[in-house]
């Protein structure tokens, strides 16, 4: 059963590696050409809608539930932004960093799954790979947080009435941070397993 799970997981990771990389390359080229021809960028900004009182209430057909109201209605604010050298550099840096971290996670996962298939899980290389995955997940969270903070500080001056209607979402990323911590703890378990295996081999 465990071997079957490893094979399935390895297939999924390899499929993501071999399909996602060329697909993202093609999508990136198409988007870059389209943006260059249009001269502007469509900027998606996650927001919360403050004024939701006018939205229709939900009527319950039974007595067990009663509609009380709506809170933190999420939406995506689409803004047309004229291209500038600073904006182009910003987009390229953030996109390249995100793709580097994502492909880095996939690459390290492929290496770990190969070692599991070869029955050598407690290797020092796997400890380093798990720590890299933990670091990459944490850095992706930091990038998304910086992106949301950038939206918060840069957009309102150009839209004076924005704060009255919308509240820009700040991405805190608690779940990815927890995943990063769990992976780091797992790397420590693998490190202890590696030391135990090394001590047993030297004892024998």
């Amino acid at each position: 059963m465990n071997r079957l799970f490893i094979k399935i997981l390895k297939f999924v990771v390899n499929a993501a590696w071999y399909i996602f990389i060329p697909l993202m390359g093609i999508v990136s080229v198409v988007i870059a050409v389209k943006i260059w021809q249009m001269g502007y960028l469509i900027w998606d900004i996650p927001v919360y809608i403050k004024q939701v009182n006018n939205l229709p209430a939900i009527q319950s057909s039974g007595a067990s539930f009663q509609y009380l109201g709506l809170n933190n209605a999420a939406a995506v604010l689409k803004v047309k932004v004229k291209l500038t050298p600073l904006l182009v550099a910003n987009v390229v840096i953030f996109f390249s960093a995100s793709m580097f971290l994502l492909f880095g996670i996939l690459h390290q996962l492929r290496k770990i799954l190969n070692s599991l298939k070869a029955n050598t899980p407690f290797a020092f290389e796997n400890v380093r790979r798990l720590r890299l995955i933990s670091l990459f997940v944490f850095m992706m969270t930091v990038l998304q947080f910086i992106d949301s903070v950038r939206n918060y500080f840069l957009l309102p001056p150009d839209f004076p009435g924005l704060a009255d209607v919308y509240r820009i979402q700040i991405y805190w990323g608690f779940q990815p941070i927890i995943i990063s911590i769990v992976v780091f703890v797992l790397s420590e378990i693998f490190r202890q397993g590696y030391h135990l295996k090394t001590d047993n081999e030297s004892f024998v």
Side-chain angles (χ1 to χ4, degrees), residues 41-48 75-79 81 87 90-91 94 142-159 162-163 166-171:
L41 175 69
I42 302 298
W43 193 354
D44 292 341
I45 302 175
V47 296
Y48 291 115
V76 176
L77 190 65
K78 303 184 78 67
V79 180
V81 185
L87 178 62
N90 194 309
V91 171
F94 269 82
V142 171
L143 278 179
Q144 290 179 289
F145 172 75
I146 293 175
D147 184 60
S148 64
V149 172
R150 178 192 59 182
N151 294 338
Y152 183 83
F153 283 105
L154 294 184
L155 187 61
D158 291 332
F159 292 90
L162 178 68
Y166 303 107
R167 176 165 58 89
I168 296 177
Q169 296 184 29
I170 299 297
Y171 180 82

Side-chain angles (χ1 to χ4, degrees), residues 97-99 101-102 105 135-145 171 176:
S98 299
M99 290 301 100
L101 294 173
L102 178 60
I105 292 174
L135 176 62
F136 290 163
V137 171
F138 179 77
M139 290 305 299
M140 290 185 71
T141 306
V142 171
L143 278 179
Q144 290 179 289
F145 172 75
Y171 180 82

Side-chain angles (χ1 to χ4, degrees), residues 108-166:
Q108 300 303 327
L109 279 175
R110 292 179 70 232
K111 294 292 185 181
I112 292 174
L113 291 173
N114 287 335
S115 69
L116 293 179
K117 185 177 180 181
N119 290 323
T120 57
F122 295 110
F124 182 76
E125 291 79 8
N126 281 345
V127 176
R128 181 179 60 83
R129 290 163 185 160
L130 285 170
R131 288 181 176 178
L132 283 174
I133 292 175
S134 174
L135 176 62
F136 290 163
V137 171
F138 179 77
M139 290 305 299
M140 290 185 71
T141 306
V142 171
L143 278 179
Q144 290 179 289
F145 172 75
I146 293 175
D147 184 60
S148 64
V149 172
R150 178 192 59 182
N151 294 338
Y152 183 83
F153 283 105
L154 294 184
L155 187 61
D158 291 332
F159 292 90
L162 178 68
D164 298 331
V165 183
Y166 303 107

Side-chain angles (χ1 to χ4, degrees), residues 5-193:
F5 176 75
I6 292 175
K7 288 182 179 179
I8 294 175
L9 189 58
K10 190 173 185 295
F11 173 79
V12 172
V13 172
N14 285 332
W17 176 262
Y18 289 111
I19 295 175
F20 193 67
I21 290 181
L23 181 62
M24 287 305 300
I26 295 173
V27 171
S28 300
V29 172
V30 172
I31 293 177
V33 171
K34 187 175 181 181
I35 291 175
W36 181 264
Q37 292 176 346
M38 293 186 303
Y40 62 86
L41 175 69
I42 302 298
W43 193 354
D44 292 341
I45 302 175
V47 296
Y48 291 115
I49 304 174
K50 288 185 175 181
Q51 299 177 0
V52 294
N53 296 329
N54 295 330
L55 295 178
I58 301 175
Q59 300 298 329
S60 175
S61 59
S64 299
F65 299 94
Q66 181 181 2
Y67 175 79
L68 296 179
L70 188 64
N71 189 27
N72 286 336
V76 176
L77 190 65
K78 303 184 78 67
V79 180
K80 181 179 177 180
V81 185
K82 185 179 179 180
L83 282 181
T84 63
L86 180 60
L87 178 62
V88 172
N90 194 309
V91 171
V92 170
I93 291 173
F94 269 82
F95 180 79
S96 301
S98 299
M99 290 301 100
F100 172 79
L101 294 173
L102 178 60
F103 294 147
I105 292 174
L106 289 176
H107 178 69
Q108 300 303 327
L109 279 175
R110 292 179 70 232
K111 294 292 185 181
I112 292 174
L113 291 173
N114 287 335
S115 69
L116 293 179
K117 185 177 180 181
N119 290 323
T120 57
F122 295 110
F124 182 76
E125 291 79 8
N126 281 345
V127 176
R128 181 179 60 83
R129 290 163 185 160
L130 285 170
R131 288 181 176 178
L132 283 174
I133 292 175
S134 174
L135 176 62
F136 290 163
V137 171
F138 179 77
M139 290 305 299
M140 290 185 71
T141 306
V142 171
L143 278 179
Q144 290 179 289
F145 172 75
I146 293 175
D147 184 60
S148 64
V149 172
R150 178 192 59 182
N151 294 338
Y152 183 83
F153 283 105
L154 294 184
L155 187 61
D158 291 332
F159 292 90
L162 178 68
D164 298 331
V165 183
Y166 303 107
R167 176 165 58 89
I168 296 177
Q169 296 184 29
I170 299 297
Y171 180 82
W172 298 105
F174 293 116
Q175 292 181 351
I177 290 176
I178 292 175
I179 293 175
S180 176
I181 295 173
V182 170
V183 174
F184 182 79
V185 172
L186 187 61
S187 72
E188 288 298 304
I189 295 175
F190 271 68
R191 186 176 67 87
Q192 293 294 331

